[in-house]
Amino acid sequence: MRPVWLVLRKDLLVLRRSPALLGVLIAYPLVIALLIGLTAAYANAKPRVAFVDKDGIPHRVTVAGQSFSIDNLIRDVGKNVEIVRMSEQQAAQQLASGRVSAVVTVPQGFVADLKGLVSSPHLTLATGSGGITPRVRQQMQALVYNLNLKLQKAFIQADLQYVNLLLHGGTGRVLGHDFSIIGLDGTKQLLAGIPDSPQKAKIADFVDDARLALALTGNAIRATASPVVLDEEHGQGRTSLLSAQVQAYGLAITISFLGLLLAGGALAAERDENAIGRLVRGLVGLGQLIVAKIGLAVTVALGVGFAILVGFGIAVEVGGVHGGEPWQRLPLVLVGVLLAGAAIGAVGTLVGALTRESRTASLVGILIVLPVVFLGLVPREIVPVAAWISDAFPFAHAVRFFASALYDGSPWGTLAREAAWLIGLGALFGVLTRLSIRRLAV
Amino acid sequence: MNDGPLLRARGASRRFGDHVALEPTDLEVHRGEALALVGPNGAGKSTLLAVLAGAVEPSKGTVEWAQGVRAGWMPQRPAHYGRLSPRQNLELFARLERAGDPQRMLERLELPDDDRPAAALSVGNRQRLDLAISLLPDPDVLLLDEPTAALDPRQRRRLWETARGVRDAGGAVVLVTQNLEDLEHVADRVAALLDGRVVFDGPVAAYLTSEAAGSLR
C-alpha cells in the first residue's frame, strides 16, 4: 500500500499547490446545487391558469344573506396558482399552446344558481397534459373546496337564522317571498291562553321538545357540514432550504462533481505528465494507481462533505429549526460520503482511463455527471426509465443514503441497501477501469 | 544472465493500433557498453528504448533484465509532475524507488531548489530534472532518450561524464540520439533503426562509414 499512499499524497500535494483549481472544483458543484435548488423552487412556482367568466360575476356576491368578495376569493387562490382572466377563445388557444396549464370556466347562470340555493352551481376545469396537470387539478379542487367552505358557512348561518325564526318567531325571506311566523316561543305563549286539555298538553310537550332540539341544531349542522376540521400549525417543519432532500442533493452533487473530475482528471494527468511510464516500471502497479485515484476522490469527498455537513448543522442550529439530527448522524453520513466518494471515484477513473487526457476527462466527466444528476432528480413515479438509468450510477444511491442517514427514524434498512449498491457499483466500475487502463500506459 | 548481457530483447515488437512502431527486434546490451540508438524521425528509436525500459509493454516478444540490475530511464518528453517543485519531484520518486538522495541530486545536477513548479522551469532544466530522477536509484543501466537535445554545452559535457561514469563502473548506457557528438563522446556501439527495424548494429567507427549513417548527416 506504500505506493498507493505516495501517489495519493502526491495528488493531494498537487491539489494544494493548485488553489484556484481546487476553489473552482469546490465552488462549481455548489453553484450547480444552488441552481438546481432554484430550478426546483421554480418547479414549485404557481401554475398559470386561465379564468373564463361567462356569467359576468360581480365583484361581490350575496348568498344566503352573506356577502362575498369574489376578488378576495381569487386572490386567496392566487397564492397557489396564477389566475389570469381571459376570453374563452384566448383560453382555448393558450391551453393548446401550453401557455396556461388549465382553464377554469364559470358558466352562464352560475351566480343565479348560487343565490337560488336550489341546485349546485358548476365550474368547469379543462387541463392540458403533462407532469404539472395533477398539481393544477389539486389546486383547482382546493379552490372549489375553499369556495364551498365559505359558502357552507353562509348556508349554515342562513339555516341557523331559519332555526332562530322557528324558535323565536319573526320575519324572513325564501325564494324572494317574505314571510312572518310566531315561532315556538309565540306558540307557547298562545298555548298559555288556551284552556287545559289532553290535546293542549300534547302540543305543549311538542313545543318544549322542539325548542330543546332546535337549541342544539346549530352545533349539529356545523358538525355535519365539517365532520373533520383541519387545523393548520405553521413553522413546525424545516424551511425548504434546510430540508433533508436539499442537504442530501447538495452533498451528493458536490461529491459527484469532485469525485468524478478529480479521479478522472488525476488518472489521465499521469499520462499527460508522461509520468505513467516511470510509475509502471515496477514502482506503482496499474491497480494501485486506480486505488490511489479512488482514494483521492474519497479523501476530498470526506473533507468537503464534512465541511458541508457542518455548514448545514450550524445553519440548522442558528435557524432554530426542528427535526433531524445534524450532529448525531454526522458519522453515519460520513460513512455514506466515504462509500459514495469511492463509487463515484471509480466511475471517474474509468472516464480517465478511457479518455487518456485530463482535459478530455474533465469535459467527459461534466458531460456525464450533469445528466446523471438530473436523472437522479426525476421522480421515479413520473419517468421510471430515468430512475432505472439513474440506479446504474452512484449518485441516486448516495442521495438516498444521505437522506435516510440524516432524517429517517429507523434508517438501517435503507442504509444497508444503498451501501450495498454503492459498494457493488464501485467494484464494477473499478474492474472496468482495470480492464481499460492498459490504454493509458502506451 | 549474471555473466550474460545486462539487458536482452527477444523478438520485441510494438504496435499502436494498426501502426507498427517497432518490428520484432533482438538486441543485447552488455556491461561496460554504451549503445546509441540512431535513425531518422519515426524510425522507432524511442519506442525501442521505452520497451527496453519497461515503460511500454512489447506487443510481442520479451525484454529480460539481469538479476538485481537497477535501471534509470530518461524519456524524450518531460516525465515528472509539472505542478511540483524539482525537490518535491525528486523526493516523491526517491520514496517510490526507495533509493537516492534528493538533496545530492539537486546539487549534482545544479537544479533550482525553490518552490517554483517544475512546469515553470526552462526546457533544459526540466531535462536535467528528468536526468536527476533517472539517476536516483544509482542505476547500473542508464536509458536516455535524446538527453542532450536542450542542454547547453557545459551541461552536455556533464551529461557525457555521467553516462561514461555509469558505463565505466561496469554498467551500461543506451541512448537515443540524433547528435554525432553524443556518439563521439559516449557511444562505443550503434544500432541504427529504419521503419521500426534495426538495419545496422556495430561499432561507432563502422557505423560512421556505413550507408546507414546518412540520416545523421
Side-chain angles (χ1 to χ4, degrees):
Chain A
M1 287 303 286
R2 190 169 180 273
V4 171
W5 163 240
L6 288 172
V7 173
L8 170 58
R9 192 168 162 273
K10 180 268 297 179
D11 283 332
L12 291 171
L13 188 58
V14 168
L15 214 51
R16 191 166 67 83
R17 289 172 66 88
S18 318
L21 174 71
L22 188 62
V24 169
L25 276 174
I26 292 172
Y28 185 77
L30 289 175
V31 168
I32 292 289
L34 187 66
L35 288 175
I36 288 174
L38 289 173
T39 308
Y42 176 75
N44 285 329
K46 301 171 189 176
R48 199 162 175 265
V49 174
F51 183 74
V52 178
D53 181 6
K54 292 166 76 173
D55 198 37
I57 299 178
H59 292 299
R60 294 194 75 84
V61 175
T62 302
V63 178
Q66 296 277 311
S67 179
F68 297 99
S69 166
I70 296 296
D71 294 337
N72 285 349
L73 199 62
I74 289 176
R75 196 162 50 238
D76 283 350
V77 177
K79 289 173 186 169
N80 297 315
V81 293
E82 184 188 354
I83 299 279
V84 186
R85 285 178 181 267
M86 58 182 78
S87 71
E88 187 176 16
Q89 190 184 4
Q90 276 179 323
Q93 282 172 350
Q94 294 209 7
L95 183 66
S97 66
R99 290 191 64 195
V100 296
S101 307
V103 178
V104 177
T105 305
V106 180
Q108 282 182 346
F110 179 85
V111 176
D113 284 347
L114 200 62
K115 287 180 171 175
L117 300 175
V118 175
S119 62
S120 296
H122 285 246
L123 286 173
T124 309
L125 174 68
T127 57
S129 57
I132 203 168
T133 302
R135 194 145 64 88
V136 173
R137 190 175 296 121
Q138 281 176 351
Q139 295 297 344
M140 289 303 105
Q141 284 167 347
L143 162 68
V144 174
Y145 169 80
N146 284 330
L147 189 57
N148 281 338
L149 203 62
K150 287 184 188 299
L151 291 169
Q152 191 183 69
K153 286 176 184 167
F155 290 159
I156 288 171
Q157 200 57 40
D159 288 346
L160 289 179
Q161 282 175 4
Y162 293 130
V163 170
N164 215 34
L165 280 174
L166 286 172
L167 272 170
H168 308 299
T171 56
R173 188 181 175 88
V174 168
L175 297 174
H177 299 287
D178 293 328
F179 62 88
S180 176
I181 57 172
I182 60 168
L184 293 171
D185 291 349
T187 307
K188 190 161 184 171
Q189 284 174 4
L190 282 175
L191 285 173
I194 297 171
D196 289 342
S197 67
Q199 289 83 356
K200 178 194 167 186
K202 280 184 181 176
I203 292 170
D205 285 347
F206 166 75
V207 169
D208 288 341
D209 290 346
R211 289 176 72 197
L212 200 60
L214 287 175
L216 300 172
T217 299
N219 286 341
I221 289 174
R222 287 191 190 94
T224 308
S226 301
V228 177
V229 177
L230 180 67
D231 292 328
E232 285 189 45
E233 293 179 356
H234 294 285
Q236 296 301 307
R238 290 202 168 175
T239 64
S240 61
L241 189 64
L242 299 173
S243 76
Q245 213 56 16
V246 169
Q247 279 196 53
Y249 277 125
L251 200 54
I253 288 170
T254 309
I255 290 171
S256 294
F257 267 94
L258 282 177
L260 216 148
L261 294 184
L262 278 179
L267 188 61
E270 296 291 354
R271 188 171 189 277
D272 284 353
E273 302 260 36
N274 202 26
I276 197 162
R278 285 199 190 283
L279 299 181
V280 298
R281 294 179 56 243
L283 301 183
V284 184
L286 289 173
Q288 290 176 318
L289 203 55
I290 296 169
V291 173
K293 303 308 173 189
I294 292 174
L296 175 67
V298 168
T299 307
V300 176
L302 281 172
V304 176
F306 181 75
I308 289 174
L309 287 165
V310 168
F312 268 122
I314 291 171
V316 165
E317 294 288 347
V318 171
V321 289
H322 305 277
E325 296 162 334
W327 304 123
Q328 293 89 329
R329 295 284 180 87
L330 193 70
L332 198 55
V333 183
L334 286 177
V335 171
V337 171
L338 187 148
L339 293 173
I344 292 161
V347 179
T349 56
L350 180 61
V351 171
L354 292 174
T355 54
R356 304 171 69 199
E357 195 200 16
S358 56
R359 270 181 289 190
T360 313
S362 303
L363 179 63
V364 172
I366 290 172
L367 289 177
I368 288 175
V369 84
L370 277 176
V372 166
V373 163
F374 285 115
L375 278 174
L377 294 171
V378 176
R380 186 177 291 269
E381 304 75 33
I382 293 180
V383 188
V385 177
W388 299 338
I389 297 170
S390 186
D391 275 346
F393 294 93
F395 175 77
H397 303 288
V399 170
R400 290 199 278 271
F401 189 109
F402 298 150
S404 182
L406 278 166
Y407 295 100
D408 278 0
S410 178
W412 304 113
T414 306
L415 295 190
R417 187 178 65 246
E418 299 307 335
W421 266 103
L422 289 170
I423 292 168
L425 287 173
L428 173 68
F429 283 107
V431 168
L432 289 175
T433 308
R434 183 64 189 87
L435 294 174
S436 314
I437 199 175
R438 281 169 58 90
R439 285 162 49 84
L440 264 188
V442 296
Chain B
M1 245 167 84
N2 278 345
D3 297 327
L6 286 174
L7 172 60
R8 177 159 54 201
R10 287 182 175 173
S13 67
R14 179 68 209 193
R15 300 176 72 95
F16 295 107
D18 292 334
H19 173 65
V20 180
L22 184 67
E23 297 283 0
T25 302
D26 295 319
L27 194 76
E28 290 184 353
V29 180
H30 294 83
R31 290 185 184 277
E33 201 169 45
L35 169 66
L37 302 177
V38 300
N41 291 335
K45 309 180 296 290
S46 293
T47 303
L48 175 57
L49 193 78
V51 167
L52 293 176
V56 172
E57 282 184 30
S59 303
K60 281 186 182 166
T62 57
V63 174
E64 297 165 19
W65 285 78
Q67 193 72 33
V69 169
R70 297 182 306 273
W73 173 57
M74 178 190 165
Q76 187 179 11
R77 247 185 354 114
H80 51 253
Y81 297 103
R83 286 193 182 273
L84 301 185
S85 69
R87 174 179 285 279
Q88 287 168 330
N89 269 290
L90 286 166
E91 284 174 349
L92 169 68
F93 283 103
R95 287 193 182 102
L96 285 167
E97 297 269 11
R98 293 174 186 266
D101 180 352
Q103 180 62 38
R104 197 170 70 85
M105 279 301 158
L106 282 168
E107 290 167 4
R108 183 176 164 189
L109 274 296
E110 296 176 357
L111 284 163
D113 188 13
D114 53 32
D115 201 41
R116 264 184 304 164
L121 301 179
S122 68
V123 178
N125 274 343
R126 294 194 76 174
Q127 200 159 19
R128 272 153 55 207
L129 174 57
D130 274 327
L131 180 63
I133 294 170
S134 67
L135 290 172
L136 274 171
D138 194 12
D140 302 306
V141 177
L142 197 51
L143 302 143
L144 307 169
D145 196 344
E146 303 206 25
T148 56
L151 298 184
D152 60 41
R154 182 166 159 269
Q155 293 297 339
R156 208 175 300 160
R157 279 195 298 277
R158 297 197 62 159
L159 182 128
W160 292 331
E161 280 169 21
T162 302
R164 285 195 300 261
V166 171
R167 182 194 65 189
D168 296 344
V173 176
V174 181
L175 80 157
V176 171
T177 186
Q178 302 275 16
N179 188 342
L180 275 173
E181 277 190 312
D182 288 345
L183 294 188
E184 290 164 10
H185 289 277
V186 180
D188 41 40
R189 179 183 153 206
V190 172
L193 284 93
L194 188 66
D195 296 333
R197 210 175 273 121
V198 176
V199 294
F200 177 91
D201 189 350
V204 173
Y207 170 71
L208 290 174
T209 56
S210 71
E211 281 184 19
S215 67
L216 281 188
R217 294 205 176 95

